[in-house]
Amino acid sequence: MLLLGCIKEVNDYDLVISLPNGLSGFVPITQISDAYSKLLSQQVAQGELPEGLNSLLDIYSPGTLVRCIVTNVEKSDDGRRSIKLSIDPKKVNKGLNASALATGMLLSGSVSSVEDHGYLIDIGVSGTHAFLPHEKAKNYIKALKRGPDLKIGQNLTCVIMEVKNEGRVVRLSIDRSEVAASLATEKQNWALSNLLPGLVVKARVQKVTPFGMKLTFLSYFTGIVDFMHMDPEKSMNYSPDQVVKACILSVHPGSKAVRLTLRPAFLHPGGSPNQLSSDRMGAVVEESTVKAFYKQFGALFELDDGTLAFARLKHLSKNRKSFKPGAFKAGCKHKCRIIDYSLMDEMCIVSLKYQVIEARFLQYQDIHTGDVVQGKVLSLKAIGMQVKVADGIKGLVPSIHLSDVILKQPEKKYNIGDEVKCRVLECNPAGKKLILTLKKSLIQSKFPILTNYEDAKPGLITHGFVVCAREFGCIVKFYNDVKGLVPKNELSTEPISCPEKVFYEGQVVKVMVLKCEPQQERLLLSFRLSSKSGPEDKRECTSKEKQKVKYQIGEIVDVKVLKKKDNGLEVSILEDEDNIVAWIPTQHLSDFVPTSKLLWHCLQEGDVLPRVMCLSDKGEHIILSRKSAVISAVQEEQVVRSFSEIQPGMLLTGYVRNVMPFGVFVEFPFGVTGLAPKVSMSDKFVTDTKDHFVVGQTVLAKVMSIDEEKQRVLLNLKVSECSSGDSAAESFALLNQYFKELKEIRDLLKRGEPSMAQGLCELVPGKELQLVVQDVREDGSALFSGSCVTGLTATATRYHVGDKNIVPGKKMKALVLHVDAPTSEVSVSLREELLKQRP
């Protein structure tokens, strides 16, 4: 089947062609012409670009009309049809022969070579040499503005000016005025076997119907004009026997079906159809008026700007069951969205579907670098994952971006059809190129994204990912292919001899811009976020920026409590002229979790805490710690500052960051983390991990193994494995610290209500008290009173009442088990075996 089409998109390896009735097809790069294919073959064979070979982007432009022939129609798994086309003159003009060629004929040709006085044109007719003189091409070349010459493979609409030697030699013209004035006539002896789309003819109206009209032309041909191709200005004024000018849209030699258009843009060969302004694509039209409804095809609408639009049946409602034909009578109004534009119909394609109207993305132009998008997994291949973001929009997640760590078997984590959350790394609408990432640290990053070199201002902190680690340092990449160098001396505060062993491809890193030269696309970066800007950066730092670089991890400071919050203390660092604000999480007030909670309860705004250590910089506040064991480890250099320093067998002091069913994650100073699996958590059998560890608990961990490729550390928390040479001394040091903190808490409590504070301070576990039974509860527990527990709640559970016969008012001896200062509750026991054990 032969069709007149219009180039919609030009890609590296194909042309996307708009076809009549809202269809589209594509022309592969191998279906341009014989001469162009020959140059491509030379390039493949020689491995270099041969002279005369230009890319499709250099030869073709959107909006150009071309004659095509359908070579194949394939149906995809989702039911969509893919129409493969060719513009090769040998296929398009296969119905022509040398004897049929006549002066005035309009046909397609392709430049096969550039000569001194003109061009040899391939018109696909065997035994015919076609020549285009420079004189007949110059105004076309000037209007095209694509250089001084036509290019091999360029498709042209030509008029035969002269025929010699019975068609063996023809002279052509592509002069714009001569092409536009051409008209197919009976004298040219056109037959159904060689009739070509794009010919302009004079036709007579034979019959007019609601769906279009039937025409006769060139004496004995008949053709159809459908409702989409009648002249919009005259659509209601056609009558039988009326003579009109028409352009052939398609020819089907087998069924002898010929379709034509009366639209003015096609009635002058060499022209271009009207295009939609870019701001209208994707626009939502609140009120579009139904002009006509065709029950087998769809509905014709008039939009708010007076232009016509068409909606196919499937886009008129959510599904067939919800479709109501009565809602599409002439004059009815509907809300719709422009989803496409058919160049060959000069008509918008719209949808009334709610999900389409509300869709976030309709085309690649709607997507911006840095956008977080939802997608569905289409396929998993060696190069990565293909993701469907929306209808007609697909993206690629490269293999290094499937996770924060490199996945050797991604098929175990992802399945076809899974919903995934991605972030756009790069979007090129012209090339329909969309690169995504699934790395959570990039998706959730709150730092500004770097999409161009102009935005890379010195001092900017952002996230990127390593693409190369060598002896000279690391290459870090950002969005839109922006990349920079982290030199070896900026990789860490400590020297790193082999960066390739510390950093890996795809690793997400936090970097600071040191220097940028946008015009040269040079970017110098640092991983040392606490280091100050170089001398070339003379700009004033804000107090927040100063805060980021002023205190080093391990530095000891005194602080004053500014504000108590649910999960910690906001403090100011004393003896600091900038009044730096910092943060102490509740769990970092002590090595002992219960003591941490007590300290938080007892501390008040204005209290001063001495000897607190800078732990890390999270961007908003300096994070401080008061854990004595952690501070000692840092001061005694019993720590690792980077992954490269970790060695199996090391004993490291850290704190529990998370407790999971499968194990415990432990974090160490300077940000290194490791996992203690369930089997390595305790010398006892572990049923529930939460019964053994809590978040914030200080632990001593032994490094069991490291995985450099995945940057993973496996730990052991068993007491039998983690004790050092002098475990007794360590235990006494911890106990000593515990009692020091208890004394500190008693001193803080004494500031409260005198009688209650005095009582709490004197009550210690193991002390014997004389109490009076105040009440016996239904569950068997008892409530007591007495002078030593004034203002406090003293209770004994049913178990700790034991077999004693107690009644309200009876005096009893009791032993203190536990004192909960925040709630002012005292737990006691009446059991004889405990009272007798008291020394």
Side-chain angles (χ1 to χ4, degrees), residues 589-599 626-629 730-746 763-765 817-821:
L589 286 171
S590 169
D591 284 314
F592 313 99
V593 175
T595 308
S596 296
K597 295 177 181 177
L598 275 172
L599 280 167
R626 205 167 172 264
K627 288 180 177 288
S628 178
E730 289 178 355
S731 299
F732 280 118
L734 283 171
L735 279 171
N736 184 48
Q737 180 63 28
Y738 174 70
F739 288 121
K740 280 177 67 177
E741 289 178 2
L742 281 183
K743 183 179 183 305
E744 182 184 9
I745 290 168
R746 290 194 190 97
L763 293 174
V764 292
L817 296 175
H818 176 66
V819 181
D820 190 342

Side-chain angles (χ1 to χ4, degrees), residues 34 87-95 122-126:
D34 279 358
I87 58 172
D88 187 344
K90 280 188 170 55
K91 295 180 179 178
V92 174
N93 297 335
K94 64 181 180 180
D122 177 10
I123 59 172
V125 178
S126 180

Side-chain angles (χ1 to χ4, degrees), residues 140-296:
Y140 176 86
I141 293 171
K142 186 178 179 180
L144 206 59
K145 297 178 181 178
R146 280 185 172 265
D149 292 304
L150 299 175
K151 299 175 178 66
I152 295 174
Q154 191 163 345
N155 193 273
L156 304 170
T157 299
C158 313
V159 176
I160 297 178
M161 302 304 293
E162 185 180 9
V163 179
K164 294 180 180 179
N165 300 332
E166 298 179 342
R168 289 193 290 274
V169 177
V170 296
R171 188 167 61 87
L172 306 173
S173 174
I174 57 170
D175 183 89
R176 293 167 67 83
S177 59
E178 291 175 348
V179 169
S182 67
L183 193 69
T185 64
E186 288 85 349
K187 291 181 180 179
Q188 294 168 4
N189 295 319
W190 292 102
L192 191 59
S193 59
N194 62 22
L195 197 63
L196 294 171
L199 293 178
V200 176
V201 298
K202 280 190 176 179
R204 188 179 295 275
V205 177
Q206 193 176 30
K207 186 180 180 182
V208 180
T209 71
F211 298 99
M213 65 176 74
K214 190 175 182 181
L215 305 177
T216 60
F217 61 97
L218 296 178
S219 300
Y220 57 89
F221 290 103
T222 59
I224 299 294
V225 178
D226 64 39
F227 63 90
M228 295 178 78
H229 282 276
M230 294 164 67
D231 187 343
E233 309 236 337
K234 304 175 183 176
S235 57
M236 304 302 294
N237 301 319
Y238 292 110
S239 58
D241 289 330
Q242 182 179 348
V243 175
V244 293
K245 203 175 179 182
C247 176
I248 298 174
L249 279 181
S250 65
V251 180
H252 198 301
S255 64
K256 299 182 180 181
V258 179
R259 292 188 173 270
L260 303 99
T261 179
L262 303 182
R263 287 185 167 271
F266 300 98
L267 302 183
H268 300 283
S272 296
N274 295 316
Q275 301 200 33
L276 182 71
S277 61
S278 57
D279 61 323
R280 287 289 281 172
M281 184 63 73
V284 175
V285 181
E286 293 295 332
E287 283 193 351
S288 58
T289 307
V290 178
K291 295 287 287 182
F293 174 66
Y294 307 95
K295 63 180 181 180
Q296 293 181 331

